Amino acid sequence: MTDDHERIRDLIERWAEAVHRGDIDGVVADHADDIVMFDVPPPYEGVRGLDDYRETWPPFFAWQAQGACFEIESLDVTAGEDVAFAHALLRCGSPEELAANPRTRLRLTLGLRRQDGRWVVAHEHHSFPYAEPDAGSGAAEEEVRELHRRWFAGTAAKDLDGLMAGIAGDVVSYEHDEPLQHRGAEAVREV
């Protein structure tokens, strides 16, 4: 393995450790100012620039602080004279998510370039493999059906509090009469 391969491996391992610690300065330390990132959550058109990249991490850190892991499981590097790429698989998830799907791995692809004599990450892509819904998805369907049953029962019993119990605060409801649209739980309650 060449020195460049080792430098890049170290850079990526430092980055992953910084992510795991929630250390934003460590996360951005070896990223180009014009970084482009395609991530699992939106925006799906990607994030461009170091400032926008930096802003994507606090929600992830908050989620991770609840006990989730972010650990490199495998890492491969290919390096040329001025450009390199790496791909990795990471254990990334809460204990519950990993227990439910122990084989699921976050896929990471990085594009690097040599800039001012050092390697920097210019492109970053995170993804999870698409998984067919498992038999457990029937439980989610049953939850939705139960929510509807409670809503219908509350309506039939003329129990306003009961039928509003499952309504989101930011609901938008469309009706037949003017006004056609009602925004928010309080507006829907009035209707």
Side-chain angles (χ1 to χ4, degrees):
M1 197 175 304
T2 68
D3 287 344
D4 282 331
H5 284 86
E6 282 299 319
R7 284 187 195 103
I8 292 168
R9 286 184 70 82
D10 289 346
L11 178 155
I12 295 167
E13 288 169 356
R14 283 192 314 271
W15 169 83
E17 289 166 6
V19 169
H20 186 67
R21 288 191 315 270
D23 171 12
I24 190 63
D25 292 330
V27 170
V28 302
D30 294 304
H31 280 63
D33 289 339
D34 61 348
I35 177 74
V36 174
M37 178 182 68
F38 295 105
D39 202 358
V40 174
Y44 297 118
E45 65 275 7
V47 172
R48 287 163 168 75
L50 196 57
D51 291 338
D52 289 342
Y53 174 82
R54 179 185 285 268
E55 289 177 22
T56 67
W57 287 101
F60 182 85
F61 293 157
W63 168 79
Q64 187 178 241
Q66 298 171 19
C69 76
F70 189 84
E71 301 166 352
I72 294 176
E73 188 171 89
S74 67
L75 173 60
D76 292 294
V77 175
T78 301
E81 188 67 29
D82 293 318
V83 294
F85 70 89
H87 55 90
L89 294 175
L90 291 88
R91 289 184 70 243
C92 178
S94 68
E96 297 80 18
E97 291 167 331
L98 293 172
N101 299 296
R103 294 180 40 203
T104 299
R105 297 296 181 261
L106 175 69
R107 300 176 297 193
L108 171 69
T109 304
L110 299 171
L112 300 97
R113 69 174 179 248
R114 196 182 304 271
Q115 180 176 304
D116 299 326
R118 69 184 192 105
W119 289 103
V120 295
V121 177
H123 177 83
E124 188 173 315
H125 188 135
H126 312 158
S127 66
F128 282 103
Y130 174 75
E132 291 291 330
D134 59 17
S137 66
E141 181 179 335
E142 186 53 37
E143 280 184 63
V144 172
R145 289 183 186 282
E146 179 57 29
L147 177 68
H148 281 117
R149 283 192 283 275
R150 287 193 313 264
W151 186 82
F152 288 125
T155 301
K158 297 183 182 181
D159 174 8
L160 183 58
D161 291 331
L163 72 93
M164 291 297 296
I167 304 296
D170 61 349
V171 65
V172 178
S173 176
Y174 297 93
E175 302 294 336
H176 297 284
D177 297 323
E178 293 288 334
L180 298 177
Q181 184 182 65
H182 302 275
R183 291 185 170 275
E186 287 306 312
V188 170
R189 179 182 281 277
E190 289 299 315
V191 173

